[in-house]
Amino acid sequence: MIATLQAARVLERSTPMGGGVELICETPLAADVHPGQFFQVAVESPGALLRRPYSAAWTDPTRGLVGFVFNVVGAGSDWLAARNAGDRIDLLGPLGRGFAIDGGRPAVCVAGGLGIAVFIGLSNALTGRGRSTTILYGARSADQLLPAARFPKTRMQLATDDGSAGHHGRVTALLSNAIVGDADIFACGPTPMLVELVRWAQRADVRLARIQVAHETPMGCGVGTCLGCALPRAGGGYMLTCQDGPCISADLVEWTRVVDAFHG
Ligand SMILES: Cc1cc2nc3c(=O)[nH]c(=O)nc-3n(C[C@H](O)[C@H](O)[C@H](O)COP(=O)(O)OP(=O)(O)OC[C@H]3O[C@@H](n4cnc5c(N)ncnc54)[C@H](O)[C@@H]3O)c2cc1C
Ligand code: FES
């Protein structure tokens, strides 16, 4: 698929959960997005030379809409969070490989923090294919959870660090009870969460090839030229997250050499 550069119009800005901003943008590029793909978004904050990568959290191809859900961590996201209805933002994409979603097995999505963004669109695509879908979702506290109403037709299990909703502790504590049989597993969140998921799978004899992770790591160009997004490949060498991912089968990654990425 060819990535396109295009201005999108912001239709709506909202704060769907504590620490989260949602921008709904109008763009014909919505029709080309596969769940898990991302855009390189131009930000005009002083000193921010590079575009910033953001997953298309969801799309509505019929109405030409793309939703982005993100938190403010620095200059670029601060600028983006200040956009309002009627503003224009410049998108390059859709980029990278999305999730492989065909098949009939039950699906279990494991989300940590802002990693939940990508599961709005993914869970719609999975349930739309008739796949039984469970979401295990962890956040720091109840106020930072995206409302369950955003995930219709799914079963949701929650975990919070402070115990204010669901299990008191890490989302990975929910894995053993939720993942039974031959489910396909989709994950996005802080690197320690992904590493813990992989360790759990190894202990539980779950094949890593059944797990796809969206690896949201710092990126320079987003299109395979700067080599800034290298990810250690199982068996040696490196992959490029922006081209071989961001959605990558967990068996292809050398997890002992993965360094912390985003959503920490
Ligand atoms: C493929 C892909 C998809 C992504 N999708 C999303 C998404 O849907 N929603 C979302 O919120 N983010 C997403 N991210 C992360 C997002 O790109 C970064 O948060 C963003 O680039 C930060 O830009 P900035 O200019 O605000 O911060 P910078 O000025 O670049 O960074 C400021 C400081 O914050 C740290 N930092 C940067 N990003 C994060 C983060 N996310 N969490 C914690 N610390 C951080 C940096 O290391 C630095 O110390 C995605 C990243 C990738 C690679
Ligand atoms: S971000 Fe430049 S090569 Fe991947």
Side-chain angles (χ1 to χ4, degrees):
M1 191 177 294
I2 296 168
T4 310
L5 190 61
Q6 196 164 90
R9 192 167 69 92
V10 176
L11 275 192
E12 195 180 316
R13 175 195 182 282
S14 63
T15 48
M17 76 280 215
V21 175
E22 181 164 28
L23 288 184
I24 303 178
C25 301
E26 196 174 37
T27 167
L29 299 177
D32 302 330
V33 178
H34 185 79
Q37 285 191 299
F38 68 100
F39 286 91
Q40 282 283 71
V41 181
V43 294
E44 293 172 25
S45 42
L49 290 178
L50 299 170
R51 289 170 178 266
R52 301 297 196 259
Y54 283 98
S55 301
W58 57 269
T59 59
D60 180 339
T62 314
R63 296 166 63 205
L65 303 180
V66 177
F68 296 99
V69 177
F70 58 95
N71 59 350
V72 174
V73 294
S77 47
D78 191 45
W79 180 87
L80 205 54
R83 297 311 94 200
N84 279 305
D87 288 346
R88 296 203 165 251
I89 58 171
D90 186 85
L91 302 178
L92 173 65
L95 297 170
R97 281 176 200 262
F99 289 108
I101 54 177
D102 288 335
R105 285 191 288 271
V108 177
C109 304
V110 185
L114 261 294
I116 192 66
V118 76
F119 292 119
I120 306 173
L122 178 68
S123 63
N124 270 332
L126 291 168
T127 56
R129 282 167 169 71
R131 297 186 66 171
S132 152
T133 304
T134 301
I135 300 179
L136 311 182
Y137 178 18
R140 292 205 170 100
S141 56
D143 67 304
Q144 295 193 12
L145 290 165
L146 192 59
R150 300 297 300 269
F151 306 92
K153 300 185 194 157
T154 68
R155 277 177 301 281
M156 195 158 225
Q157 294 182 32
L158 303 175
T160 48
D161 293 348
D162 67 359
S164 50
H167 168 74
H168 187 171
R170 301 266 160 82
V171 66
T172 44
L174 305 174
L175 292 169
S176 295
N177 283 337
I179 301 179
V180 286
D182 60 350
D184 287 333
I185 301 163
F186 303 85
C188 185
T191 308
M193 184 199 89
L194 300 180
V195 170
E196 182 50 35
L197 168 62
V198 166
R199 286 199 190 120
W200 169 84
Q202 287 164 336
R203 286 195 304 272
D205 252 344
V206 171
R207 283 187 305 116
L208 293 191
R210 277 174 45 197
I211 304 175
Q212 297 175 60
V213 299
H215 186 65
E216 299 191 341
T217 189
M219 286 184 181
C221 65
V223 294
T225 56
C226 74
L227 311 186
C229 63
L231 179 66
R233 184 190 288 279
Y238 291 88
M239 306 179 256
L240 293 179
T241 305
C242 68
Q243 298 226 292
D244 301 308
C247 302
I248 298 170
S249 182
D251 62 320
L252 302 180
V253 178
E254 177 48 67
W255 289 98
T256 58
R257 291 195 293 134
V258 174
V259 293
D260 257 13
F262 289 145
H263 305 311

